């Protein structure tokens, strides 16, 4: 069965919401946070980042709270926070399943 839009988050989407859980941020601050949090494993270019931000704004996961020239600052909404927490739980279940499968193979 095909996945519904926004049913689960891509890795990049997950880290954008993680950044905004920390505090409101502009795009460059989000990219820097993700780069730092992942030790450079994920480096998000502007096109990817702003596509995600646009999608999240449309879905009401985030809202723009300040505009200074071209700099836009975003804040996570309650809906976005719930999506983030839901994804954390989904990922925990994935890890649990993977660890149990590994134990079965060893055993």
């Amino acid at each position: 069965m095909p996945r519904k839009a926004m049913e689960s988050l891509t890795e990049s989407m997950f880290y954008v919401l993680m950044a905004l859980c920390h505090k409101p941020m502009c795009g460059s601050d989000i990219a820097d946070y993700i780069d730092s949090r992942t030790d450079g494993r994920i480096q998000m270019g502007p096109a990817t980042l702003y596509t995600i931000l646009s999608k999240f704004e449309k879905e009401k996961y985030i809202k723009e709270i300040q505009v200074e020239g071209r700099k836009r600052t975003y804040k996570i909404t309650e809906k976005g926070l719930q999506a983030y927490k839901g994804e954390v739980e989904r990922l925990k279940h994935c890890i649990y399943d993977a660890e149990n499968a590994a134990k079965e193979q060893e055993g």
Side-chain angles (χ1 to χ4, degrees):
M1 179 176 349
R3 203 172 73 177
K4 293 179 187 173
M6 306 297 282
E7 187 174 304
S8 62
L9 304 174
T10 66
E11 187 175 32
S12 296
M13 293 168 126
F14 178 76
Y15 278 102
V16 168
L17 289 180
M18 180 189 293
L20 292 171
C21 282
H22 183 64
K23 67 179 183 179
M25 295 184 194
C26 67
S28 62
D29 291 339
I30 293 168
D32 290 345
Y33 177 91
I34 293 168
D35 182 57
S36 174
R37 175 63 60 186
T38 64
D39 291 324
R41 184 176 59 83
I42 298 175
Q43 295 181 352
M44 199 170 308
T48 300
L49 177 59
Y50 287 101
T51 298
I52 291 170
L53 290 173
S54 176
K55 185 179 288 190
F56 280 169
E57 205 169 11
K58 181 180 175 187
E59 294 292 328
K60 306 214 183 308
Y61 282 12
I62 64 171
K63 67 179 183 176
E64 189 178 86
I65 60 169
Q66 187 175 4
V67 178
E68 294 175 33
R70 292 179 55 183
K71 180 181 176 182
R72 300 178 183 281
T73 301
Y74 300 92
K75 177 181 178 179
I76 195 166
T77 64
E78 185 61 33
K79 184 177 180 181
L81 184 60
Q82 292 308 313
Y84 174 75
K85 288 179 178 180
E87 187 66 6
V88 168
E89 286 304 309
R90 186 187 74 78
L91 293 169
K92 284 179 183 179
H93 288 289
C94 289
I95 297 299
Y96 176 82
D97 292 342
E99 288 173 344
N100 282 338
K103 287 176 187 173
E104 290 171 6
Q105 289 173 345
E106 293 171 1

